Amino acid sequence: MPRKKKTSIPKTTKKRKRKVKRFQTVRGMRDILPDEQPYWQKLRKVIEKVAVDYNYRRIDFPIVESVELFERGTGMDTDIVDKEMYKFKTAGGDWVCLRPEGTPSVVRAYLQHGMRTWPKPVKLSYSGPMYRHDRPQEGRYREFYQCGFEALGEQDAILDAQMIQMAMRIFKLLKLKKVSLHLNSIGCEECRPSYNKLLISYLKNRKKSLCMDCKRRLKTNPLRVLDCKEEKCTQVVSQAPQTVDHLCGDCKKHFTTLLEYLDEIEIPYSLRPELVRGLDYYTKTVFEFFMEDENGSQAALGGGGRYDYLVEKLGGPSTPAVGFACGMDRIVNAMKNADTEPYQAPTPKVYLAQLGDVAKKKSLKIFEQLERSGIMVAESFGRGNLRSQLNQANKIKAEIVLIIGQREALDGSVILKDMNSGGQETLPFDKIIKEVKKRLKKNADMAKKIAQQERKKAQNLKKKKKKKK
Ligand code: AMP
């Protein structure tokens, strides 16, 4: 008797199904989902407004840049270049990286596109993702967003003050209170060498008490010891000579002028001798913005300063410059904690419903006609059931529902249902736009009138209460 063949198909399909891999974001990276977007939209709008108000023009530059740009610009011995940069060799053999910050790219673009011939200062602003391979934690990501402002070609301290004023304006417009400004001056090529000598001799005598990193920094970049967060180092640093006491005449004048400007615009500051910003290019002014979170710990929202030698270091002529960058992810977190109103997109007041195949075909065209004439329309074209479409219209609080049924589609008409009055009428296609606009305007005027009356009522109530007192 012939043997029966075994049917083994289900086994293999099962196996294959189990093997399909589900992907997750790479460590330190995250998705910004639609629910969070209104905060980002609000932030972007505020940044754009401030950029326009203060005359900054937008620049976009590549995410991928040459490694050397940051090694030479930001500095070899900085954490973001030495430890945190994403670098790789391209198929063509070039060493490139994902940008860890914006300033060197702005300066590269300034030189590459001959902006030094533009009227000075050249004011540029940017926003976009940056990449640092640091240990991920709350508020620290490997892909994060920064917005930045840079002014090139002017050394007057008024620009430093204006940078700070702009950042504060952004925080104010976002209703972020309790943002404090930390400020310091770290001198220039004139006064820094003698200060460094003094600092090195002070630190050398206390070398045993420094962390391993700071022992190395003592040789490579002694200024960086000042902003080390290790407790044993902060203790040593608390008694160290301070940069502001050893500034040359020019730097001292620049710093006191900046302080006068800040007093004039009533921006309080806290002088922080340990603030050095950790990047090679800073000169004179350095500043950082901090905000206390609900646990009482301080988070840096942004920072910046003057970088008078960077353009020269990247091959250009001597060009003073100043700028700052803010961490957008951290600002968004702060906005949520501060109950800042997120951006509210205008919502459609008209809903388009269709019933039957012919009507469905017509509805795409009618939707386009309405949209083109500036009327925002909601729809749920995938649904065929009229009741479910009307439920949707109620949900979004539509003022007008346009219904195209089988008969209307054939004779070129639309049923207009006024959701406020409940009344409805049938209109030919070509009368729809005019009628919808008329009714929406009437509703808007009515809403305005009611709001005015309510405001008046509230004012009268207030007056009465005052009189009673
Ligand atoms: P920095 O120039 O490095 O001080 O960066 C400016 C601002 O960007 C900081 O004050 C933070 O708000 C933000 N920032 C820097 N690194 C990160 C990161 N890894 N994740 C999130 N935000 C960051």
Side-chain angles (χ1 to χ4, degrees):
M1 215 175 109
R3 287 170 84 190
K4 262 191 181 176
K5 261 190 179 176
K6 270 190 180 174
T7 45
S8 54
I9 299 163
K11 223 179 177 181
T12 49
T13 14
K14 244 187 187 172
K15 228 180 188 176
R16 210 173 283 150
K17 223 177 184 179
R18 230 184 285 138
K19 265 194 172 169
V20 176
K21 182 179 165 180
R22 290 257 197 111
F23 291 96
Q24 300 272 319
T25 42
V26 171
R27 188 164 135 80
M29 316 256 170
R30 69 207 179 104
D31 299 313
I32 301 172
L33 299 178
D35 275 355
E36 206 185 331
Q37 290 296 342
Y39 288 99
W40 287 83
Q41 274 169 294
K42 170 85 171 230
L43 174 57
R44 286 195 194 102
K45 278 185 185 295
V46 164
I47 293 165
E48 252 170 51
K49 177 184 161 40
V50 171
V52 169
D53 289 352
Y54 284 77
N55 252 310
Y56 280 71
R57 294 170 75 198
R58 183 170 174 98
I59 181 167
D60 285 300
F61 40 85
I63 285 172
V64 176
E65 291 269 15
S66 82
V67 167
E68 214 188 333
L69 174 66
F70 297 98
E71 286 180 345
R72 199 128 56 89
T74 314
M76 288 287 258
D77 192 46
T78 58
D79 284 350
I80 64 173
V81 172
D82 184 30
K83 298 180 186 161
E84 299 165 10
M85 210 148 71
Y86 280 87
K87 15 183 189 183
F88 52 97
K89 210 172 194 173
T90 62
D94 299 321
W95 269 107
V96 295
C97 64
L98 304 185
R99 59 187 191 192
E101 60 145 341
T103 308
S105 298
V106 170
V107 173
R108 182 212 27 83
Y110 173 85
L111 291 171
Q112 186 174 338
H113 303 287
M115 292 185 211
R116 56 192 163 152
T117 60
W118 294 8
K120 292 202 171 48
V122 174
K123 291 173 156 188
L124 301 168
S125 77
Y126 61 87
S127 63
M130 303 292 160
Y131 300 84
R132 296 182 190 175
H133 196 272
D134 199 359
R135 197 166 56 83
Q137 50 185 285
E138 178 67 29
R140 178 159 311 192
Y141 314 104
R142 289 181 173 170
E143 180 187 62
F144 62 98
Y145 289 75
Q146 277 189 340
C147 61
F149 293 79
E150 315 284 353
L152 296 108
E154 183 55 69
Q155 60 184 353
D156 199 307
I158 196 160
L159 264 107
D160 306 40
Q162 201 183 38
M163 283 287 166
I164 292 168
Q165 189 182 35
M166 279 164 62
M168 285 303 197
R169 181 83 185 122
I170 291 175
F171 301 138
K172 179 132 198 238
L173 286 170
L174 295 171
K175 306 225 163 32
L176 300 183
K177 292 173 192 142
K178 291 193 199 156
V179 179
S180 53
L181 165 65
H182 292 188
L183 192 62
N184 194 16
S185 173
I186 55 171
C188 65
E189 277 179 355
E190 193 70 26
C191 46
R192 187 118 32 103
S194 57
Y195 171 76
N196 271 354
K197 258 190 201 164
L198 210 69
L199 181 66
I200 291 169
S201 97
Y202 170 85
L203 294 174
K204 264 190 178 162
N205 291 333
R206 292 150 185 89
K207 199 173 170 183
K208 275 188 198 152
S209 313
L210 296 176
C211 72
M212 284 307 286
D213 272 345
C214 282
K215 278 181 186 146
R216 186 178 44 84
R217 283 175 189 142
L218 197 51
K219 280 193 196 130
T220 54
N221 193 348
L223 215 57
R224 290 279 332 271
V225 178
L226 295 182
D227 73 349
C228 179
K229 304 289 178 285
E230 291 283 331
E231 205 188 320
K232 51 185 183 175
C233 298
T234 53
Q235 267 179 19
V236 173
V237 165
S238 64
Q239 303 298 319
Q242 301 187 354
T243 51
V244 281
D245 296 328
H246 300 276
L247 297 176
C248 61
D250 183 36
C251 287
K252 199 181 267 178
K253 185 156 189 298
H254 195 273
F255 196 46
T256 46
T257 314
L258 169 62
L259 300 186
E260 281 164 23
Y261 283 130
L262 292 178
D263 288 340
E264 190 66 31
I265 52 178
E266 293 176 30
I267 293 182
Y269 49 81
S270 158
L271 294 179
R272 295 295 173 126
E274 77 287 354
L275 179 65
V276 295
R277 295 278 298 134
L279 310 182
D280 273 8
Y281 52 67
Y282 284 115
T283 46
K284 292 191 169 79
T285 319
V286 283
F287 54 86
E288 236 158 0
F289 303 99
F290 283 89
M291 192 177 175
E292 212 168 89
D293 64 19
E294 69 270 34
N295 309 319
S297 55
Q298 296 247 321
L301 293 187
R306 186 156 274 285
Y307 50 94
D308 290 345
Y309 307 123
L310 183 57
V311 180
E312 226 172 325
K313 233 174 157 184
L314 295 179
S318 167
T319 311
V322 61
F324 76 93
C326 281
M328 295 169 72
D329 310 69
R330 291 200 192 161
I331 295 182
V332 165
N333 284 343
M335 285 164 70
K336 288 183 196 162
N337 293 333
D339 291 328
T340 312
E341 279 279 305
Y343 172 71
Q344 269 192 329
T347 48
K349 294 188 169 59
V350 179
Y351 185 92
L352 183 59
Q354 34 69 38
L355 199 65
D357 288 345
V358 189
K360 201 167 182 176
K361 269 187 197 137
K362 296 265 182 215
S363 54
L364 271 183
K365 195 159 190 185
I366 293 183
F367 181 95
E368 193 188 16
Q369 282 171 350
L370 290 159
E371 183 267 320
R372 279 192 187 187
S373 58
I375 300 167
M376 278 182 82
V377 192
E379 45 71 24
S380 26
F381 284 157
R383 294 185 195 184
N385 180 309
L386 185 61
R387 180 182 289 177
S388 120
Q389 291 181 72
L390 290 180
N391 281 345
Q392 186 63 18
N394 267 325
K395 213 170 170 182
I396 65 156
K397 297 192 175 86
E399 292 172 13
I400 293 168
V401 178
L402 300 174
I403 306 164
I404 321 167
Q406 200 77 345
R407 212 177 68 200
E408 288 75 29
L410 290 174
D411 65 17
S413 63
V414 175
I415 299 170
L416 187 152
K417 188 171 167 66
D418 191 317
M419 299 297 268
N420 289 342
S421 65
Q424 66 178 55
E425 60 179 304
T426 304
L427 292 166
F429 280 163
D430 56 358
K431 296 256 164 60
I432 280 294
I433 288 169
K434 206 173 160 195
E435 185 60 27
V436 168
K437 279 190 172 172
K438 196 175 96 187
R439 287 178 187 245
L440 288 180
K441 189 176 177 311
K442 198 173 145 198
N443 290 350
D445 289 346
M446 182 75 91
K448 227 182 187 173
K449 215 172 167 183
I450 294 172
Q452 266 172 357
Q453 281 169 351
E454 274 173 10
R455 228 175 295 137
K456 247 189 187 165
K457 249 191 216 169
Q459 278 169 354
N460 286 341
L461 216 76
K462 239 185 185 177
K463 271 184 198 166
K464 267 187 194 169
K465 272 187 186 168
K466 248 187 182 177
K467 262 188 188 172
K468 265 189 185 172
K469 274 184 187 171

PDB file of all heavy atoms in Angstrom, residues 23-35:
ATOM      1  N   PHE A  23      11.403  46.303  14.412  1.00  0.00           N
ATOM      2  CA  PHE A  23      12.490  47.246  14.658  1.00  0.00           C
ATOM      3  C   PHE A  23      12.137  48.283  15.705  1.00  0.00           C
ATOM      4  O   PHE A  23      10.978  48.659  15.858  1.00  0.00           O
ATOM      5  CB  PHE A  23      12.884  47.943  13.351  1.00  0.00           C
ATOM      6  CG  PHE A  23      13.534  47.006  12.390  1.00  0.00           C
ATOM      7  CD1 PHE A  23      12.791  46.388  11.395  1.00  0.00           C
ATOM      8  CD2 PHE A  23      14.874  46.698  12.504  1.00  0.00           C
ATOM      9  CE1 PHE A  23      13.373  45.493  10.522  1.00  0.00           C
ATOM     10  CE2 PHE A  23      15.473  45.810  11.637  1.00  0.00           C
ATOM     11  CZ  PHE A  23      14.724  45.199  10.643  1.00  0.00           C
ATOM     12  N   GLN A  24      13.135  48.736  16.403  1.00  0.00           N
ATOM     13  CA  GLN A  24      12.990  49.781  17.416  1.00  0.00           C
ATOM     14  C   GLN A  24      13.934  50.914  17.033  1.00  0.00           C
ATOM     15  O   GLN A  24      14.886  50.691  16.293  1.00  0.00           O
ATOM     16  CB  GLN A  24      13.430  49.257  18.791  1.00  0.00           C
ATOM     17  CG  GLN A  24      12.647  48.065  19.284  1.00  0.00           C
ATOM     18  CD  GLN A  24      11.409  48.480  20.044  1.00  0.00           C
ATOM     19  OE1 GLN A  24      11.445  49.414  20.824  1.00  0.00           O
ATOM     20  NE2 GLN A  24      10.311  47.799  19.805  1.00  0.00           N
ATOM     21  N   THR A  25      13.701  52.087  17.610  1.00  0.00           N
ATOM     22  CA  THR A  25      14.655  53.170  17.359  1.00  0.00           C
ATOM     23  C   THR A  25      16.006  52.769  17.941  1.00  0.00           C
ATOM     24  O   THR A  25      16.078  52.032  18.917  1.00  0.00           O
ATOM     25  CB  THR A  25      14.212  54.470  18.051  1.00  0.00           C
ATOM     26  OG1 THR A  25      13.734  54.145  19.346  1.00  0.00           O
ATOM     27  CG2 THR A  25      13.161  55.211  17.279  1.00  0.00           C
ATOM     28  N   VAL A  26      17.047  53.285  17.348  1.00  0.00           N
ATOM     29  CA  VAL A  26      18.415  53.021  17.820  1.00  0.00           C
ATOM     30  C   VAL A  26      18.576  53.697  19.190  1.00  0.00           C
ATOM     31  O   VAL A  26      17.964  54.740  19.444  1.00  0.00           O
ATOM     32  CB  VAL A  26      19.405  53.623  16.782  1.00  0.00           C
ATOM     33  CG1 VAL A  26      20.830  53.600  17.287  1.00  0.00           C
ATOM     34  CG2 VAL A  26      19.275  52.898  15.456  1.00  0.00           C
ATOM     35  N   ARG A  27      19.390  53.115  20.070  1.00  0.00           N
ATOM     36  CA  ARG A  27      19.570  53.655  21.431  1.00  0.00           C
ATOM     37  C   ARG A  27      19.938  55.148  21.399  1.00  0.00           C
ATOM     38  O   ARG A  27      20.800  55.571  20.623  1.00  0.00           O
ATOM     39  CB  ARG A  27      20.690  52.858  22.119  1.00  0.00           C
ATOM     40  CG  ARG A  27      20.868  53.168  23.569  1.00  0.00           C
ATOM     41  CD  ARG A  27      21.712  52.064  24.214  1.00  0.00           C
ATOM     42  NE  ARG A  27      22.738  52.585  25.088  1.00  0.00           N
ATOM     43  CZ  ARG A  27      22.520  52.982  26.334  1.00  0.00           C
ATOM     44  NH1 ARG A  27      21.303  52.887  26.846  1.00  0.00           N
ATOM     45  NH2 ARG A  27      23.491  53.454  27.077  1.00  0.00           N
ATOM     46  N   GLY A  28      19.235  55.899  22.224  1.00  0.00           N
ATOM     47  CA  GLY A  28      19.532  57.340  22.310  1.00  0.00           C
ATOM     48  C   GLY A  28      18.779  58.186  21.297  1.00  0.00           C
ATOM     49  O   GLY A  28      18.885  59.402  21.300  1.00  0.00           O
ATOM     50  N   MET A  29      18.038  57.522  20.376  1.00  0.00           N
ATOM     51  CA  MET A  29      17.265  58.247  19.360  1.00  0.00           C
ATOM     52  C   MET A  29      15.784  58.011  19.658  1.00  0.00           C
ATOM     53  O   MET A  29      15.436  57.004  20.254  1.00  0.00           O
ATOM     54  CB  MET A  29      17.569  57.723  17.958  1.00  0.00           C
ATOM     55  CG  MET A  29      19.029  57.504  17.694  1.00  0.00           C
ATOM     56  SD  MET A  29      19.683  58.796  16.662  1.00  0.00           S
ATOM     57  CE  MET A  29      21.429  58.467  16.746  1.00  0.00           C
ATOM     58  N   ARG A  30      14.944  58.911  19.206  1.00  0.00           N
ATOM     59  CA  ARG A  30      13.525  58.716  19.516  1.00  0.00           C
ATOM     60  C   ARG A  30      12.646  59.309  18.426  1.00  0.00           C
ATOM     61  O   ARG A  30      13.081  60.187  17.669  1.00  0.00           O
ATOM     62  CB  ARG A  30      13.191  59.342  20.864  1.00  0.00           C
ATOM     63  CG  ARG A  30      13.248  60.822  20.837  1.00  0.00           C
ATOM     64  CD  ARG A  30      13.565  61.430  22.157  1.00  0.00           C
ATOM     65  NE  ARG A  30      13.603  62.865  21.966  1.00  0.00           N
ATOM     66  CZ  ARG A  30      12.660  63.703  22.336  1.00  0.00           C
ATOM     67  NH1 ARG A  30      11.591  63.273  22.965  1.00  0.00           N
ATOM     68  NH2 ARG A  30      12.759  64.975  22.099  1.00  0.00           N
ATOM     69  N   ASP A  31      11.403  58.813  18.391  1.00  0.00           N
ATOM     70  CA  ASP A  31      10.420  59.363  17.461  1.00  0.00           C
ATOM     71  C   ASP A  31       9.717  60.515  18.162  1.00  0.00           C
ATOM     72  O   ASP A  31       9.470  60.448  19.369  1.00  0.00           O
ATOM     73  CB  ASP A  31       9.366  58.308  17.107  1.00  0.00           C
ATOM     74  CG  ASP A  31       9.981  57.093  16.425  1.00  0.00           C
ATOM     75  OD1 ASP A  31      10.786  57.296  15.509  1.00  0.00           O
ATOM     76  OD2 ASP A  31       9.653  55.958  16.825  1.00  0.00           O
ATOM     77  N   ILE A  32       9.385  61.541  17.413  1.00  0.00           N
ATOM     78  CA  ILE A  32       8.561  62.610  17.987  1.00  0.00           C
ATOM     79  C   ILE A  32       7.177  62.439  17.360  1.00  0.00           C
ATOM     80  O   ILE A  32       6.979  62.714  16.186  1.00  0.00           O
ATOM     81  CB  ILE A  32       9.170  63.994  17.709  1.00  0.00           C
ATOM     82  CG1 ILE A  32      10.582  64.037  18.310  1.00  0.00           C
ATOM     83  CG2 ILE A  32       8.305  65.101  18.304  1.00  0.00           C
ATOM     84  CD1 ILE A  32      11.379  65.256  17.964  1.00  0.00           C
ATOM     85  N   LEU A  33       6.253  61.913  18.147  1.00  0.00           N
ATOM     86  CA  LEU A  33       4.954  61.481  17.627  1.00  0.00           C
ATOM     87  C   LEU A  33       3.985  62.656  17.443  1.00  0.00           C
ATOM     88  O   LEU A  33       4.203  63.738  18.013  1.00  0.00           O
ATOM     89  CB  LEU A  33       4.361  60.432  18.576  1.00  0.00           C
ATOM     90  CG  LEU A  33       5.214  59.166  18.714  1.00  0.00           C
ATOM     91  CD1 LEU A  33       4.590  58.201  19.702  1.00  0.00           C
ATOM     92  CD2 LEU A  33       5.418  58.485  17.377  1.00  0.00           C
ATOM     93  N   PRO A  34       2.912  62.449  16.664  1.00  0.00           N
ATOM     94  CA  PRO A  34       1.982  63.554  16.374  1.00  0.00           C
ATOM     95  C   PRO A  34       1.463  64.282  17.618  1.00  0.00           C
ATOM     96  O   PRO A  34       1.291  65.503  17.582  1.00  0.00           O
ATOM     97  CB  PRO A  34       0.841  62.865  15.631  1.00  0.00           C
ATOM     98  CG  PRO A  34       1.479  61.689  14.997  1.00  0.00           C
ATOM     99  CD  PRO A  34       2.553  61.240  15.920  1.00  0.00           C
ATOM    100  N   ASP A  35       1.224  63.561  18.731  1.00  0.00           N
ATOM    101  CA  ASP A  35       0.689  64.215  19.927  1.00  0.00           C
ATOM    102  C   ASP A  35       1.647  65.267  20.484  1.00  0.00           C
ATOM    103  O   ASP A  35       1.226  66.223  21.126  1.00  0.00           O
ATOM    104  CB  ASP A  35       0.427  63.177  21.030  1.00  0.00           C
ATOM    105  CG  ASP A  35      -0.935  62.546  20.855  1.00  0.00           C
ATOM    106  OD1 ASP A  35      -1.658  62.997  19.949  1.00  0.00           O
ATOM    107  OD2 ASP A  35      -1.256  61.596  21.590  1.00  0.00           O
TER     108      ASP A  35
END
